Amino acid sequence: MFTFAPRTYASKAEHYADLATQARGLIAGEPDLIANAANFSALVFDSLPQLNWAGFYLYDGKELVVGPFQGKPACIRIALGAGVCGTAADSRRTQVVRDVSQFSGHIPCDSASQSEIVVPLVRADGSLLGVWDVDSPVTDRFDDDDRRGMEALCRVFMDHIDGRD
């Protein structure tokens, strides 16, 4: 059984490092992608403040399709290059959007979302698994510390998927 106990952290970096350790332990030994994605989403959603959505969009070979997540119902399909998620998938670069109203082509799945961070999930062989998407109802919620932290969390997830953990 996994036990979550809220803690206080000196910095975002410390918080993300602890989350990475927890994520590694949570998914260790479990081979199922969906089960791991569901628990990963719950861990992040319950651990970080000021979030209203955290989850996966998985690439089906044509477009991104909503996967396991925490939050309100979401857009089901997103084309590569469309919105923040499609841009991250297409460019293979993390997108940090401090104010979604300033992102040309933003797809408003939840009108409460004001900022967003999306990390592309690329397998060791270079193929696209999908994206990790996190939204906040607060403008300027995400910064470079969050980018580094989310990328580190996604490395833990992808290392497990690729059998490198």
Side-chain angles (χ1 to χ4, degrees):
M1 177 169 76
F2 186 83
T3 303
F4 174 74
R7 296 179 48 189
T8 302
Y9 299 94
S11 66
K12 280 186 182 181
E14 181 184 45
H15 193 166
Y16 279 110
D18 185 49
L19 271 177
T21 299
Q22 290 181 56
R24 198 172 288 109
L26 185 62
I27 63 178
E30 176 53 58
D32 189 83
L33 170 68
I34 300 303
N36 285 329
N39 273 334
F40 187 93
S41 298
L43 174 68
V44 173
F45 189 78
D46 285 341
S47 299
L48 293 175
Q50 300 177 311
L51 303 184
N52 62 322
W53 204 90
F56 292 85
Y57 278 91
L58 302 173
Y59 184 56
D60 71 357
K62 295 182 276 182
E63 60 193 345
L64 298 170
V65 180
V66 71
F69 69 91
Q70 298 285 307
K72 291 182 181 177
C75 297
I76 296 172
R77 297 180 183 276
I78 300 174
L80 294 186
V84 182
C85 289
T87 299
D90 196 42
S91 68
R92 309 278 176 99
R93 294 182 55 182
T94 299
Q95 303 294 305
V96 178
V97 181
R98 293 175 185 260
D99 182 349
V100 296
S101 71
Q102 302 301 309
F103 189 91
S104 179
H106 175 255
I107 301 169
C109 296
D110 179 355
S111 62
S113 293
Q114 298 299 308
S115 58
E116 185 170 6
I117 185 168
V118 180
V119 180
L121 303 172
V122 181
R123 289 186 170 105
D125 68 5
S127 65
L128 181 67
L129 174 68
V131 297
W132 167 246
D133 179 22
V134 181
D135 294 1
S136 173
V138 177
T139 303
D140 290 325
R141 164 61 180 85
F142 304 109
D143 58 22
D144 282 337
D145 290 334
D146 295 293
R147 179 188 53 76
R148 284 186 291 274
M150 292 288 183
E151 288 174 345
L153 280 171
C154 290
R155 272 192 302 280
V156 167
F157 188 83
M158 291 308 296
D159 284 349
H160 182 74
I161 296 301
D162 287 332
R164 296 180 291 180
D165 59 349

